[in-house]
Amino acid sequence: MRLVDVLPRTPKGRALAGQLVRSGTSVAANYRAACRGRSRAEFIAKVGIAEEEADETALWLELIIADKILPEKKVLPLLSEANELVAIMAASYISASRNERDDVSKKSKSAIRNQQSEIRI
């Protein structure tokens, strides 16, 4: 949020500021929603959105660096944090999805086995 406050008040700066505020705050909001999810499927969906928003935030930060809108040394720590959040959300998504698949496959395996007849023809 503090980075947004120091962006220039040019059309480019305002556009990037708006995008950063939206995507950056969305990461937190969707992660919070994921943690309060009513089901594993809801958690997976919200964590996936949080991952996408963290990645989008990284994009806007990369553009600020590439276009030299702010000094790189001011932006790099935030870019590193955004990339770390992408990795964390991706790992959470993968782990929760894998657990979901494992639970579904366990439920779909019936305890009833088709026994072979002892009668031979």
Side-chain angles (χ1 to χ4, degrees):
M1 300 296 284
R2 280 178 251 156
L3 180 82
V4 169
D5 288 339
V6 298
L7 285 169
R9 304 271 187 234
T10 63
K12 191 186 317 183
R14 283 191 298 274
L16 288 168
Q19 293 290 355
L20 270 171
V21 166
R22 281 188 287 282
S23 64
T25 56
S26 181
V27 175
N30 280 290
Y31 181 72
R32 183 177 179 146
C35 291
R36 296 175 183 271
R38 293 175 297 257
S39 66
R40 185 174 292 153
E42 189 174 344
F43 174 83
I44 292 167
K46 294 293 184 181
V47 164
I49 294 168
E51 177 192 355
E52 291 172 10
E53 295 295 336
D55 187 53
E56 183 180 329
T57 301
L59 168 72
W60 303 127
L61 294 170
E62 290 167 1
L63 289 175
I64 290 169
I65 292 169
D67 206 28
K68 297 179 172 72
I69 295 171
L70 291 175
E72 188 173 338
K73 69 179 184 175
K74 283 189 173 188
V75 183
L76 274 179
L78 294 173
L79 178 57
S80 293
E81 188 173 343
N83 286 325
E84 289 170 9
L85 287 171
V86 171
I88 290 167
M89 298 302 158
S92 295
Y93 180 89
I94 290 166
S95 179
S97 295
R98 186 179 302 127
N99 291 339
E100 178 82 1
R101 281 194 307 274
D102 291 348
D103 287 351
V104 169
S105 69
K106 285 177 187 174
K107 288 178 185 173
S108 66
K109 292 181 182 177
S110 174
I112 300 171
R113 300 285 178 242
N114 187 5
Q115 299 292 330
Q116 292 290 328
S117 173
E118 303 248 349
I119 301 171
R120 302 283 179 218
I121 299 178

